[in-house]
């Protein structure tokens, strides 16, 4: 589709960049003013737009936006930063000289970077350039928030399958599982695809403490206790195994379940460990037990296959003699997993995870009978202190269906083979090894140079493991979206130099020395290579044009980093400031140019096809080359090689339960992304105040009426919200909203103090004393609290 010009109205194909859905849209301007965006049905993600997308002009023309670079003139932490407008020249010169100074005095690692999320902000437009900038600068410390966002589904998953969760093949799925993922509020295109699958007759399983989105229409809605998903997954798996409701052939041939594990070391048995090693096996080969000939068979790690054709036993315990004559007792990995699942029979799952025993059995049967199964899990499972093992438990459960990479399972759609310009190659291994999060775990986000905020605060405040002195924040609003905002405020106040780019002035940006005003997506060009969710979406390459020019002096993050790169002495890595040249470099392998894309604003589609069953050629990118039911990698890093369920760090089964009897979780709302958009009048009218949902009985027991202001109290802090009744919730669970700080000038609503008990900052209720030992995730969704009515309302 082309740009249309009718009188003073221009209609240009584009896409909305506000969230992960990236819905195709038509951008409309009239007399040079941006008046809105509309659905673009021919676009693979363009069937509909949500309320946020429809509010686009209010986002662009909002008076609470920042339009000029600023510098602070008063001390950090002062209520009034004393902002003074400065020129871009001055802002960028000062930024470059301070970053240079810290880099030359303490190394680039002494400057950390805060990045907001590409899943919930339009930073996705320029994220590749920001990453390139950080890598070229040389810092291994990026606070991306990945540990509370996407790390589990994208990276923990790879410890089981060798790759991320990949996309559900909605169009061919016979059963869709939404596990802690509510696309109705968070990913419009996923919701549309789920609805179509449902209409086609696919079955649906929803695991969510709240009866929201598709829960009411699901074949099984499992109302899990927040943070107990691991126990639920083991329980369902146990029923599948006990009843033979699993794909035996896939598990035998494509998982490491048949490999034998030594009971004494909890590591795989090696051929050299035994006195009579299997024929044809090398010393380092692993060992399984052949079901027919009843003897050991070698498994070559190098070739990623058994040394001879075999039908290995899945459930087996065997003993061998070591070369020195000692007995070595072994059990197959799958046998160990089965033993673990046996600890969670349906009635125990009911007691631990609060899901009725009957539903555990019914879900197990459904998962087997309605194959192929596809699934997506997200924030519901990622924001707990046990999140990594929960991901392992769910991915292992899903392996039992045998739907991996099958049509209708989770598949890797083909992607246009463009050049990756994120610049990972600029960061040397030595520099990478300095990531401050690596002291937590060598398996976690630190491997990629991503750090948890708790570790960032510790590095700034205590100099552990070394001092972080400077911070470059691209949007990230630590104080509101991360646990322990009070500690965050102390850390931000201590920084020697802090520069922050954002659209509005947030509580985090208010601590900066220099503020850089960023434009909105409709004021800049952006290249999108592949949209998500289906093969046609992945095949599309689109260059969104700017509907209007940037308001005030605002600029894109791309412009900022391209200019800074030159000032910092690595302009050559940034095409000497020429963004178009950089974009052409991305496209070069496709033999496409920017001009090709500019002349086709609706995008250009390539002809990629999904590569089903790729593992049949390549195996799995894991240590054993198989799906890892048992992870020796975890064992060697001091973690449990099996997905054992660990109670969340704060739990209703602890001594404090009498003081804090309610489990506290949270979720996103359709009207806003995280801490954004409260300044948008049409959105704020729909959702004017922060809410905490509870069962009417829970409220009645506390003398709380619907709509009353209440105080939520935890060991760590307090926050005020309006009580909302939700009879679908378990009486022991409440769900609060986060992200509330901003006022709305047009509606005359004042801001909430994000660092005060009388404010509405959910994440001040959350302690970061406990973190997931691998990912560093914090229990944003499995805290414990008490709630009481307050008289006189909130101080808004
Ligand atoms: N409108 C909107 N859309 C967004 C965003 C936004 O802020 N607003 N943010 C974007 C980003 S960055 C992300 S990460 C995605 C996230 O997308 P989702 O993961 O779909 O979003 P959430 O609503 O955070 O969580 C999903 C569900 O998890 C449930 N849940 C809570 N606790 C638990 C639990 O312990 N176990 C289980 N199984 N479920 C639980 C919640 O009730 C909720 O319905 O959304 C993206 N899209
Ligand atoms: N309790 C609780 N806390 C949560 C969550 C939860 O479910 N419960 N969810 C978590 C999740 S999944 C995530 S991803 C994090 C999100 O945490 P943050 O990344 O801090 O998210 P936002 O509040 O959306 O902040 C984004 C900021 O970026 C600015 N911005 C928008 N567009 C641009 C741009 O193009 N460039 C720049 N430089 N800035 C821009 C916005 O104005 C906004 O101030 O929050 C997490 N916090
Ligand atoms: S779901 Fe809404 S905010 Fe997200 S991309 Fe689509 S229209 Fe934009
Ligand atoms: Mo996220």
């Amino acid at each position: 589709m082309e740009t249309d010009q009718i009188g003073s109205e221009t209609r240009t194909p584009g896409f909305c960049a506000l969230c992960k859905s990236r819905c195709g849209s038509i951008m409309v301007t009239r007399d040079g003013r941006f008046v809105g965006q509309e659905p673009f049905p021919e676009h693979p993600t363009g069937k509909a737009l949500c309320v946020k997308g429809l509010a686009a002009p209010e986002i662009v023309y909002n008076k609470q936006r920042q339009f000029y670079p600023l510098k602070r003139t008063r001390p950090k932490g002062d209520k009034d930063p004393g902002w003074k407008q400065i020129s871009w020249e001055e802002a960028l010169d000062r930024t470059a000289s301070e970053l240079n100074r810290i880099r030359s005095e303490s190394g680039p690692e002494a400057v950390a970077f805060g990045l907001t999320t590409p899943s919930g902000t339009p930073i996705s437009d320029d994220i590749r350039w920001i990453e390139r900038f950080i890598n070229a600068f040389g810092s291994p410390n990026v606070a991306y928030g990945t540990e509370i966002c996407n790390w589990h589904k994208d990276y923990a998953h790879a410890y089981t399958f060798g790759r991320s969760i990949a996309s559900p093949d909605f169009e061919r799925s016979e059963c869709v599982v939404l596990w802690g993922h509510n696309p109705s509020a968070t990913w419009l295109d996923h919701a549309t695809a789920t609805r179509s699958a449902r209409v086609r007759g696919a079955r649906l399983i929803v695991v969510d403490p709240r009866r929201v989105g598709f829960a009411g229409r699901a074949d099984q809605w499992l109302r899990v206790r927040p943070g107990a998903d691991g126990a639920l997954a083991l329980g369902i798996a146990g029923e599948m195994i006990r009843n033979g409701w699993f794909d035996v052939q896939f598990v035998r041939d494509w998982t490491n379940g048949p490999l034998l594990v030594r009971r004494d070391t909890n590591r795989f048995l090696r051929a050299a460990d035994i006195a009579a090693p299997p024929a044809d096996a090398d010393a380092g080969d692993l060992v399984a037990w052949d079901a027919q000939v009843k003897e050991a068979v070698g498994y070559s790690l190098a070739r990623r296959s058994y040394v001879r054709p075999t039908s290995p036993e899945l459930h087996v315990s065997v003993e061998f003699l070591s070369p020195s004559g000692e007995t070595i007792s072994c059990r197959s990995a799958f046998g160990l997993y089965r033993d673990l699942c046996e600890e969670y029979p349906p009635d125990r799952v009911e007691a631990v995870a609060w899901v009725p025993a009957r539903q555990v059995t019914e879900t197990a049967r459904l998962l087997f009978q309605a194959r192929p199964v596809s699934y997506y899990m997200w924030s519901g499972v990622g924001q707990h202190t046990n999140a990594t093992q929960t991901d392992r438990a769910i991915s292992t459960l899903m392996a039992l269906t045998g739907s991996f990479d099958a049509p209708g399972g989770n598949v890797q759609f083909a992607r246009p083979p463009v050049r990756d310009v994120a610049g990972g190659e600029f960061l040397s291994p030595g520099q990478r090894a300095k990531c401050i999060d690596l002291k937590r775990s060598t398996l976690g986000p630190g491997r990629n140079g991503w750090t948890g905020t708790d570790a960032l605060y510790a590095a700034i405040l205590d100099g552990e493991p070394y001092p972080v002195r400077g911070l470059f924040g691209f949007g990230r609003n630590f104080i509101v979206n991360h646990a322990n905002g009070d500690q965050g405020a102390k850390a931000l106040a201590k920084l020697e130099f802090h520069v922050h780019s954002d659209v509005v002035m947030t509580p985090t940006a208010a601590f900066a020395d220099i503020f850089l005003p960023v434009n909105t997506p409709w004021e800049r060009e952006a290249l999108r290579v592949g949209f998500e969710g289906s093969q046609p979406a992945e095949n599309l390459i689109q260059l969104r044009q700017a509907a209007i020019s940037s308001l005030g002096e605002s600029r894109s993050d791309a412009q900022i980093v391209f200019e800074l790169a030159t000032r910092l002495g690595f302009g050559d890595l940034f095409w000497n400031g020429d963004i178009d040249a950089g974009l052409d470099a991305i496209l070069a392998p496709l033999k496409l140019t920017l001009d090709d894309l500019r002349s086709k604003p609706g995008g250009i589609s390539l002809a990629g096809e999904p590569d089903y069953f790729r593992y049949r050629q390549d195996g799995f990118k894991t240590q054993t080359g198989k799906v890892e039911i048992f992870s020796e990698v975890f064992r060697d890093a001091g973690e449990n090689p099996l997905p054992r369920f660990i109670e969340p760090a704060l739990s209703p089964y602890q001594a404090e339960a009498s003081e804090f009897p309610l489990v506290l979780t949270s979720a996103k709302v359709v009207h806003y992304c995280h801490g954004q958009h409260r300044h948008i009048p049409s959105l704020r009218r729909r959702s004017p105040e922060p809410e905490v949902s509870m069962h009417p009985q829970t409220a009645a027991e506390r003398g709380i009426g619907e709509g009353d202001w209440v105080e939520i109290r935890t060991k760590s802090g307090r926050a005020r919200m309006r009580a909302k009744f939700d009879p679908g919730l378990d009486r022991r669970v409440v769900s609060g909203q986060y992200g509330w700080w901003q006022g709305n000038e047009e509606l005359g609503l004042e801001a909430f103090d994000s660092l005060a008990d009388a404010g509405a900052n959910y994440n001040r209720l959350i302690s970061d004393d406990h973190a997931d030992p691998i990912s560093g995730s914090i229990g944003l969704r499995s805290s414990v609290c008490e709630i009481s009515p307050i008289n006189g309302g909130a101080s808004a």
Side-chain angles (χ1 to χ4, degrees), residues 394-409:
I394 298 172
S395 38
T396 316
L397 164 65
M398 293 304 167
L400 299 179
T401 67
S403 299
F404 184 89
D405 245 2

Side-chain angles (χ1 to χ4, degrees), residues 39 86 110 113 265 333 350 471 536-537 607-608 615 654 663 716 744 754 768 775:
I86 53 173
F113 288 80
T265 60
E350 179 163 335
L471 178 70
Y615 62 87
Q654 285 163 343
V663 179
S716 312
N744 187 306
S754 51
D768 63 1
S775 67

Side-chain angles (χ1 to χ4, degrees), residues 115-117 119-126 130 144-145 148-150 378-379 383 473-478 480-482 500-504 506 518-521 524 557 666-668 673-676 736-739 741 762-763 766 780-781:
L115 257 62
T116 183
T117 171
S119 301
T121 73
I123 206 158
S124 51
D125 286 347
D126 287 335
I130 298 172
Y144 222 142
I148 48 166
C149 181
N150 68 319
W378 207 348
S379 302
Q383 298 175 352
F474 290 88
R476 177 152 294 260
N477 191 353
F478 293 108
V480 171
N481 293 311
H482 286 268
H500 187 100
S501 74
D502 207 309
V503 185
V504 296
T506 68
V518 174
N519 57 13
T520 71
R524 63 190 182 220
D557 291 295
S666 64
K668 306 191 191 336
C673 283
H674 311 294
Q676 301 171 71
Q737 295 179 356
Y738 68 100
W741 60 273
Y762 175 101
N763 285 327
I766 306 297
L780 304 179
R781 297 201 180 194

Side-chain angles (χ1 to χ4, degrees), residues 202-220:
R203 313 299 294 272
L204 188 59
I205 298 170
V206 172
V207 189
D208 199 306
R210 301 183 305 149
R211 193 173 187 274
V212 287
F214 288 96
R217 286 171 271 173
D219 295 283
Q220 290 293 335

Side-chain angles (χ1 to χ4, degrees), residues 2 74 86 142 196 423 443 509-510 519 559 626 667 669 695 736 783:
E2 308 293 318
R74 299 185 51 77
I86 53 173
V142 184
S196 307
L443 303 176
N519 57 13
Q559 285 173 294
K626 301 277 186 189
V669 287
H695 193 278
S783 190

Side-chain angles (χ1 to χ4, degrees), residues 631-684:
S631 172
E632 197 173 70
V633 175
F634 270 39
R635 146 73 180 77
D636 288 349
E639 302 298 333
N640 204 307
L642 292 168
R644 178 165 285 284
F645 171 66
I646 311 144
E647 263 300 313
L650 297 177
S651 127
Y653 296 110
Q654 285 163 343
E656 295 90 345
S658 54
E659 199 185 338
F660 300 113
L662 299 168
V663 179
L664 175 65
T665 185
S666 64
K668 306 191 191 336
V669 287
V670 72
H671 311 105
Y672 305 120
C673 283
H674 311 294
Q676 301 171 71
H677 304 140
R678 295 340 183 255
H679 61 314
I680 305 305
S682 69
L683 299 175
R684 189 67 180 263

